[in-house]
Amino acid sequence: MLLDKVTVQAREKNIPIMQKEALLYLKKLLKKEKIKTILEIGTGIGYSTINMALVNDNIKITSIEKDKERYQMACDNVKKQLLTNRIQLILGDAKEIDLTEKFDLILIDAAKSSNKYFFEKFQYNLNKKGLIITDNVNFYNLINEKITNRNLKQLVNKIKKYRLFLEQHEHFKTSFIDVGDGLSVSKRRSDL
Ligand code: SAH
Ligand code: MG
């Protein structure tokens, strides 16, 4: 099956793909919430993108990747899975890409230090009852460890700050789900 090949490709190229249980949780959520349109930040080689598109034929996905080689591999994989009509891949830095469309769900899975930036930028592309999901908010459980490496420590602190940002957000209510590497699910408060 193509998706198994994509898993192997990702391992070879050292691309962190969404973990199995996190993906399973996400796919269930897509069904439950009847999600039709998705914006993904961080395509990688298309593993999570293709998985989400296969949930049902109504789902349309736009996904942004800044690395050219990964983008091209993702295009290849999407083609092989015959999903070019429902998956639009964009090559570029998501920080510089402005979209006007609105989506039912936004999945943030790119540079972990930029989570807050992406949340704040793309919240305007979210439909009224939409969800923003962020992957890796447990960051290999390092958020609970004492870390000495300086760069890693900075990154872990950023993730902790992001969690706090979500917890204290005025307009969104967030649940943290301990599946895979940790997902946050943020929903706009209905009273707004
Ligand atoms: N969602 C994928 C994995 C993505 S890995 C999956 O689960 O299959 C994270 C990806 O985000 C990397 O490929 C990296 O190149 C990309 N990325 C990081 N910063 C980015 C940015 N500013 N804009 C677009 N893509 C970015
Ligand atoms: Mg991830």
Side-chain angles (χ1 to χ4, degrees):
M1 194 200 174
L2 180 88
L3 279 173
D4 295 329
K5 285 192 188 145
V6 179
T7 314
V8 175
Q9 271 179 355
R11 206 177 300 136
E12 282 168 4
K13 297 268 169 186
N14 227 342
I15 300 159
I17 57 172
M18 220 167 159
Q19 292 183 20
K20 246 196 186 121
E21 322 96 78
L23 206 49
L24 211 66
Y25 178 90
L26 181 60
K27 291 199 285 191
K28 275 192 192 144
L29 196 72
L30 297 185
K31 279 185 205 154
K32 189 172 146 247
E33 301 283 332
K34 300 193 171 62
I35 301 290
K36 291 208 175 72
T37 53
I38 301 171
L39 170 64
E40 179 182 50
I41 317 296
T43 318
I45 55 172
Y47 180 73
S48 51
T49 328
I50 292 171
N51 262 292
M52 292 190 289
L54 290 177
V55 167
N56 73 57
D57 294 345
N58 295 323
I59 293 176
K60 283 210 159 95
I61 306 176
T62 299
S63 184
I64 308 173
E65 171 59 50
K66 72 170 180 187
D67 182 278
K68 198 163 178 198
E69 192 195 346
R70 291 180 185 183
Y71 161 80
Q72 260 149 8
M73 287 173 79
C75 288
D76 251 30
N77 288 332
V78 166
K79 239 180 243 158
K80 280 186 195 142
Q81 195 68 52
L82 306 177
L83 286 170
T84 46
N85 56 334
R86 294 197 287 115
I87 297 178
Q88 186 201 4
L89 299 176
I90 300 175
L91 172 63
D93 186 335
K95 288 192 176 174
E96 286 156 19
I97 287 169
D98 297 314
L99 300 170
T100 49
E101 306 154 66
K102 297 205 181 216
F103 300 86
D104 298 334
L105 185 141
I106 297 175
L107 174 63
I108 303 175
D109 190 19
K112 304 306 155 196
S113 56
S114 304
N115 280 343
K116 179 165 177 264
Y117 186 97
F118 291 137
F119 190 103
E120 292 192 311
K121 176 178 161 87
F122 290 108
Q123 61 177 312
Y124 302 104
N125 294 93
L126 193 64
N127 278 329
K128 208 168 171 202
K129 287 190 173 167
L131 299 171
I132 301 184
I133 296 190
T134 313
D135 188 29
N136 309 100
V137 291
N138 288 353
F139 205 60
Y140 312 104
N141 276 324
L142 288 175
I143 54 165
N144 299 316
E145 304 273 324
K146 208 170 147 46
I147 295 158
T148 46
N149 177 297
R150 195 159 169 268
N151 290 335
L152 188 62
K153 198 169 178 170
Q154 267 174 8
L155 186 54
V156 169
N157 279 338
K158 274 223 159 165
I159 291 169
K160 283 185 188 165
K161 263 197 180 158
Y162 180 63
R163 293 178 68 109
L164 213 60
F165 158 78
L166 293 178
E167 275 165 24
Q168 297 173 343
H169 205 296
E170 229 186 307
H171 304 313
F172 283 86
K173 183 168 174 24
T174 296
S175 330
F176 294 91
I177 319 287
D178 275 323
V179 285
D181 195 23
L183 292 178
S184 61
V185 181
S186 311
K187 198 170 197 157
R188 217 192 287 274
R189 290 183 192 278
S190 54
D191 44 315
L192 290 164

